[in-house]
Amino acid sequence: MEKIEAVLKEERVFYPSEAFRQKARINQLQEYETLYKESLEQPEAFWGRVAGELHWFQPWQKVLEWNPPNAKWFIGGKLNLSYNCLDRHLETRGNKAAILFEGEPGDSRILTYQQLHREVCKFANVLKSLGVQKGDRVTIYLPMIPEAAIAMLACVRIGAVHSVVFGGFSASALADRINDAQAKVLITADGGYRRGGVVPLKANSDEALADTKSIQHVVVVKRTGQEVPMQAGRDHWYHELMADASAVCPAEPMDAEDPLFILYTSGSTGKPKGVLHTTGGYSVYTYLTTRYIFDLQENDTYFCTADVGWITGHSYVVYGLLQNGATTLMYEGAPNFPNEGRIWSIIEKYRVNILYTAPTAIRAFMKWGEEWPRKYNLESLRLLGSVGEPINPEAWLWYYRVIGQERCPIVDTWWQTETGGIMITTLPGVHPMKPGHAGKPFFGVKPEIVDSSGQAVTNPDEGGHLIIERPWPSMLRTVWGDPERFERQYFSQYPGRYFTGDGAKRDADGYYMILGRVDDVLNVSGHRLGTMEIESALVAHPAVAEAAVVGRPDPIKGEGIVAFVTLKSGHNPSPELAQELKAHVVKMIGAIARPDEIRITDALPKTRSGKIMRRLLRQVAAGEEIKGDTSTLEDRAVVERLKASSPH
Ligand code: 6R9
């Protein structure tokens, strides 16, 4: 196993530059240590102080009540997240840009805090006029346009519970989510721009509505201008309703534990779960994590490439940023439209200081070549972030060197839809960075690595299950409509402790390395191997663009290794290349990691959020029929092409 460690660890450690450190909000390790200790030993004092930086209509009586698996935070307190995102800034930042918007066709808009406040108040009144009341569910199915943020904030303002469904989801996925939440109103658009084409959101909505009964009204934003049928009495144009709406709408004082939003996420099996977040804890935690992890400064321009349809879009495009009075940039379209330089051109155009994106995007950028970012001025960048999956050291180093120009610290942020906010990361002004390691727990987070019996794994670098010992403010409160599933899924494997579903290990310095979902860990001849470890080795080969490794039942070894790879342009599949890749893995890791089979393919099956669907690959690898839900696949044709790829 020693060689595995060597590939993964990337022994080099990177330090934030002195220039960065000096200006950072937290720049003394001692300060982190002291605050971290306080956050665990005196959570009431710590979180009470942070919460006090926000606006409350009524103060809380008690910070935390914990009856596993049920946590209550800021009991008795009343607040409104839309107030904290908007009204709180009107006096000091009214004319500051809240949202910078760049549409895919090149149109742009700027909304100041004042303007955003006005739009949100008007739309909140529109929702009220459609009969939406506190506690009602509203489904939002929009492109990445300012109206998405306006709709979310308007729901929050009147205490309606939003459920944002990513615009890339199909009609049937939308229908399932509407039905599960029993939403009363649907907010959509005629269409959205994506890679030069138009996503037919209204047509999808109409198709979904044929299978749903709860929706009474549909509000349609005119984005692309294409002809769409409008059903009288049910469908309304956004701009028509807004024209007459009053701009006065006081924010509803919400109980700290009132439901805030539902966000659907796929479980390992079965139908998607509606993760429920509540008002007080989510607000406080996203406010603080945004401030410290992205080291937000007053004049920063912040760009996160995630869609608001994902938790990253909720917490780190909209709520965390606006609560801090920051400027957040929303980009509607694809990163390679009209060409592969789009993200870099946006950074140059708006002088972006902070970029937050995903490893899958970074690997695509690598594939497209460094000549694209080299064409643009990226000097405004100060900090980079990564989220969504483990980042392989190859991609980390490329991001650091080519995009950050060895000047910007990288925060590799581990968290989940269920955690609401970032849980494990380095703090950029304080912690040295180790490529491949997410880093240290954030304030209030007490992770542990345990074996299957729940015993803490104490040896450095020994793998185990990642659990979180105590509740943190933005912990999910339940699975919508299924409290039993909530308990079973997260709190039954290790009673009273939150099970993340991820494997991890911790080094002697207390840095966590996430090994991927536990179901992705292979056991080959009694050796524990992260699929990620083998993938890292494969993508380090000059011919390989992306790799996904899965296990396949093996009568002798328990599990065999099957690697699916895509090639960089200029390389062609051949049996010789497959042999070379196997030898390369052996060379990088060791014979135990030698893939039994390499399948060279032209695309990997990915969810619309960019996660590789390993379940499908496992079925293809095992020669089984494809079973289970494939509704989250970005391109269903990939499955047939995979089956046709010849094994080597
Ligand atoms: C925020 C988000 C959660 C799963 C999580 C883990 C993986 C996310 C990661 C990471 C390694 C990171 N994950 N961030 N793995 N390093 N920095 O992505 O939420 O879509 O719910 O996914 O993503 O496996 O369990 P979500």
Side-chain angles (χ1 to χ4, degrees):
M1 293 294 278
E2 276 159 31
K3 285 184 186 159
I4 296 175
E5 305 296 317
V7 177
L8 262 180
K9 256 189 187 157
E10 169 54 64
E11 295 292 345
R12 275 179 294 169
V13 173
F14 296 77
Y15 292 85
S17 72
E18 197 45 33
F20 185 93
R21 207 188 60 81
Q22 289 217 337
K23 293 195 185 132
R25 279 186 183 272
I26 297 190
N27 58 14
Q28 301 294 332
L29 189 58
Q30 192 52 47
E31 194 182 349
Y32 164 81
E33 306 281 4
T34 309
L35 286 170
Y36 182 66
K37 194 158 175 270
E38 187 205 6
S39 72
L40 293 188
E41 288 172 3
Q42 295 158 282
E44 317 252 327
F46 181 90
W47 290 113
R49 196 170 61 235
V50 177
E53 293 176 25
L54 297 174
H55 170 271
W56 295 75
F57 295 102
Q58 188 180 296
W60 59 92
Q61 279 120 41
K62 200 172 166 206
V63 170
L64 171 65
E65 215 174 82
W66 175 226
N67 298 307
N70 301 307
K72 285 186 180 160
W73 285 86
F74 309 109
I75 295 151
K78 292 206 186 298
L79 76 168
N80 186 292
L81 177 55
S82 140
Y83 188 101
N84 277 309
C85 286
L86 302 169
D87 308 54
R88 200 165 68 89
H89 307 303
L90 290 182
E91 221 168 278
T92 49
R93 303 184 175 106
N95 290 318
K96 175 176 174 176
I99 295 178
L100 302 175
F101 168 68
E102 168 102 353
E104 197 187 73
D107 55 323
S108 59
R109 275 162 74 190
I110 297 174
L111 284 156
T112 64
Y113 273 90
Q114 200 116 266
Q115 290 167 322
L116 183 61
H117 175 259
R118 186 178 161 82
E119 298 301 305
V120 168
C121 287
K122 289 176 77 169
F123 196 58
N125 281 325
V126 165
L127 291 175
K128 280 189 195 166
S129 75
L130 297 176
V132 178
Q133 292 173 359
K134 181 171 168 176
D136 285 344
R137 274 80 56 212
V138 171
T139 298
I140 299 175
Y141 183 61
L142 284 172
M144 266 299 272
I145 55 177
E147 285 76 8
I150 293 168
M152 290 161 77
L153 288 158
C155 288
V156 166
R157 195 161 188 89
I158 61 173
V161 179
H162 63 64
S163 158
V164 183
V165 177
F166 175 52
F169 274 124
S170 64
S172 77
L174 174 62
D176 287 347
R177 286 157 177 76
I178 290 173
N179 286 333
D180 188 80
Q182 286 295 293
K184 211 167 169 181
V185 166
L186 171 65
I187 303 161
T188 187
D190 47 0
Y193 294 106
R194 183 80 191 174
R195 211 160 281 143
V198 166
V199 185
L201 295 171
K202 178 62 164 65
N204 291 348
S205 298
D206 287 334
E207 199 183 323
L209 291 181
D211 297 324
T212 60
K213 291 198 180 67
S214 60
I215 297 288
Q216 295 165 8
H217 293 282
V218 180
V219 181
V220 186
V221 177
K222 193 175 251 189
R223 170 67 185 139
T224 54
Q226 89 248 41
E227 191 83 28
V228 292
M230 297 289 280
Q231 187 176 309
R234 186 194 73 177
D235 300 352
H236 317 269
W237 285 109
Y238 177 90
H239 60 271
E240 288 176 5
L241 297 174
M242 287 290 271
D244 306 326
S246 151
V248 179
C249 180
E252 179 76 23
M254 301 296 288
D255 190 272
E257 283 301 334
D258 273 338
L260 180 65
F261 66 80
I262 302 169
L263 184 58
Y264 288 87
T265 184
S266 19
S268 31
T269 50
K271 64 169 188 145
K273 298 174 284 220
V275 167
L276 181 78
H277 284 289
T278 58
T279 306
Y282 177 86
S283 297
V284 171
Y285 196 78
T286 53
Y287 163 74
L288 191 74
T289 47
T290 306
R291 200 172 183 76
Y292 284 151
I293 297 165
F294 298 111
D295 188 48
L296 262 194
Q297 310 281 341
E298 189 61 44
N299 289 321
D300 277 339
T301 298
Y302 166 100
F303 177 20
C304 168
T305 61
D307 191 280
V308 288
W310 310 115
I311 191 68
T312 305
H314 284 59
S315 303
Y316 302 114
V317 173
V318 181
Y319 294 127
L321 278 294
L322 298 180
Q323 282 190 99
N324 278 284
T327 300
T328 183
L329 193 152
M330 294 175 81
Y331 169 55
E332 177 186 32
N336 55 352
F337 186 85
N339 60 45
E340 284 74 5
R342 189 61 184 272
I343 298 295
W344 321 120
S345 91
I346 291 173
I347 290 171
E348 179 182 282
K349 177 173 169 188
Y350 296 94
R351 295 197 56 77
V352 170
N353 307 104
I354 302 167
L355 174 68
Y356 192 31
T357 191
T360 186
I362 297 166
R363 289 192 297 266
F365 300 146
M366 290 170 76
K367 183 174 163 183
W368 297 335
E370 0 189 317
E371 56 274 23
W372 285 107
R374 293 267 181 247
K375 285 186 202 175
Y376 298 90
N377 182 346
L378 305 182
E379 274 164 25
S380 57
L381 286 173
R382 202 165 60 76
L383 177 68
L384 304 174
S386 172
V387 60
E389 51 178 320
I391 180 166
N392 48 304
E394 280 279 306
W396 195 100
L397 290 168
W398 189 91
Y399 197 28
Y400 186 71
R401 179 176 59 82
V402 180
I403 306 307
Q405 300 166 350
E406 300 182 17
R407 176 187 70 241
C408 307
I410 295 178
V411 286
D412 174 4
T413 61
W414 175 85
W415 59 297
Q416 309 176 299
T417 304
E418 293 88 340
T419 69
I422 297 167
M423 303 287 278
I424 298 178
T425 177
T426 49
L427 283 188
V430 172
H431 293 125
M433 296 158 272
K434 303 184 186 188
H437 285 82
K440 300 279 233 178
F442 189 73
F443 303 132
V445 176
K446 190 164 190 307
E448 190 53 273
I449 294 177
V450 297
D451 63 21
S452 50
S453 70
Q455 285 295 318
V457 166
T458 46
N459 292 334
D461 296 320
E462 197 178 317
H465 287 180
L466 179 64
I467 64 163
I468 310 292
E469 296 277 14
R470 302 186 189 176
W472 62 99
S474 62
M475 182 177 98
L476 81 162
R477 296 299 193 267
T478 191
V479 170
W480 182 257
D482 199 348
E484 207 200 301
R485 188 172 178 195
F486 165 67
E487 179 152 12
R488 185 168 16 98
Q489 181 83 38
Y490 302 106
F491 288 95
S492 67
Q493 188 146 350
Y494 304 107
R497 305 150 97 189
Y498 173 82
F499 177 44
T500 63
D502 278 326
K505 56 189 189 182
R506 186 175 51 216
D507 72 8
D509 296 330
Y511 274 52
Y512 287 80
M513 171 182 274
I514 311 301
L515 300 168
R517 302 297 299 192
V518 176
D519 37 19
D520 294 339
V521 175
L522 308 180
N523 192 324
V524 180
S525 307
H527 298 284
R528 184 175 210 143
L529 278 172
T531 50
M532 163 67 189
E533 296 171 328
I534 304 168
E535 289 161 11
S536 251
L538 284 165
V539 294
H541 187 281
V544 174
E546 272 205 294
V549 168
V550 295
R552 173 177 72 181
D554 183 283
I556 305 203
K557 300 192 279 187
E559 256 182 330
I561 301 169
V562 180
F564 293 82
V565 299
T566 61
L567 301 181
K568 288 191 182 143
S569 59
H571 296 273
N572 297 312
S574 70
E576 288 72 27
L577 178 58
Q579 290 312 316
E580 193 182 317
L581 295 179
K582 288 185 192 178
H584 177 75
V585 174
V586 172
K587 190 166 141 254
M588 298 277 287
I589 305 180
I592 52 156
R594 180 192 193 88
D596 296 271
E597 204 173 75
I598 299 259
R599 284 185 174 226
I600 301 174
T601 169
D602 59 351
L604 294 172
K606 291 194 182 169
T607 63
R608 292 162 205 270
S609 62
K611 291 200 169 65
I612 293 166
M613 287 185 78
R614 287 163 201 288
R615 179 170 54 81
L616 294 187
L617 290 177
R618 276 194 289 271
Q619 290 167 354
V620 172
E624 295 167 6
E625 276 309 302
I626 304 294
K627 298 182 292 273
D629 183 25
T630 54
S631 67
T632 53
L633 259 189
E634 201 204 358
D635 175 4
R636 291 192 204 196
V638 168
V639 174
E640 289 312 312
R641 299 215 295 278
L642 277 176
K643 284 202 269 189
S645 66
S646 47
H648 295 291

